[in-house]
Amino acid sequence: MQHPVPQPVDSIYAMLNMDMVGRLRGARLLALGAATAKEFPALLDSLNTPARFDLRASGDGWGPSDHAAFFAARRPVLHFFTDLHEDYHRSTDDSDKINAAGLAQVAQFVADVAWTLANRPGPLTFVDAPRPQATAGAVRATGPTSAPSRT
C-alpha cells in the first residue's frame, strides 16, 4: 500500500495496531514492532509498572497486519497481540470466547501508550529493518498470518 492514510505520512507520529487482542491468557501481551523506535522498549516497560502483563516486546515493523504499511512508510509501529490460540482463524473463534476483562486491560494499556506518545516533547527515533524475504510455504510466527477475525 503506497498511501496508507489520506493525510501526509510525515504527520503520522506512530501507528498503534490492536489486532487479535480479545483472548488475553495468563496476562501475556505481545508488543510487536518494539524495535521500530529506540524509545519504545523503555516506554513500554515504564507503563507496565507495576506489572500488568507478561509483556513480550520485540521485533521489527514487518508483519501481516495493518501496521506494516506504516512501517514501510518509515513510521514507528506497535502491534499489540494476545498471541495465537486454538481457534485462530477458524470458524470456532466465537464471541463467547472473548476475555472482555482482558480486552479492557489491553485497551487501557494501549490508551496509556497513546497518551504518553501524544505528550512527548519530541519525535521518536525511527529504526529501520530490511523487509523479510518471502519463501514458498513459510509462515511467519510473530503475528497474524491472514485477514484477522476480531476476537
Side-chain angles (χ1 to χ4, degrees):
M1 175 183 306
Q2 201 169 50
H3 302 286
V5 294
Q7 64 186 32
V9 170
D10 293 348
S11 70
I12 299 170
Y13 189 77
M15 193 279 195
L16 304 180
N17 182 19
M18 292 191 300
D19 189 356
M20 301 294 292
V21 295
R23 292 277 197 107
L24 187 66
R25 295 170 317 276
R28 183 178 180 171
L29 178 63
L30 306 179
L32 306 172
T36 66
K38 287 184 181 181
E39 299 82 0
F40 278 165
L43 181 145
L44 291 165
D45 285 346
S46 73
L47 294 173
N48 197 39
T49 303
R52 300 191 247 183
F53 299 102
D54 173 13
L55 185 63
R56 311 283 173 99
S58 66
D60 62 34
W62 300 112
S65 192
D66 299 327
H67 64 281
F70 292 84
F71 185 68
R74 303 184 56 77
R75 300 291 105 193
V77 299
L78 286 171
H79 172 198
F80 296 95
F81 179 53
T82 55
D83 214 351
L84 300 172
H85 53 75
E86 61 280 355
D87 297 308
Y88 189 78
H89 287 213
R90 292 194 167 95
S91 61
T92 55
D93 192 6
D94 295 321
S95 62
D96 63 325
K97 296 177 182 175
I98 292 173
N99 174 351
L103 178 57
Q105 288 177 300
V106 172
Q108 184 59 61
F109 184 73
V110 176
D112 292 346
V113 171
W115 180 258
T116 302
L117 290 174
N119 288 290
R120 279 183 51 82
L124 294 167
T125 308
F126 178 75
V127 179
D128 206 355
R131 186 181 296 266
Q133 297 290 359
T135 57
V139 174
R140 194 160 178 207
T142 59
T145 56
S146 63
S149 64
R150 298 295 172 194
T151 63

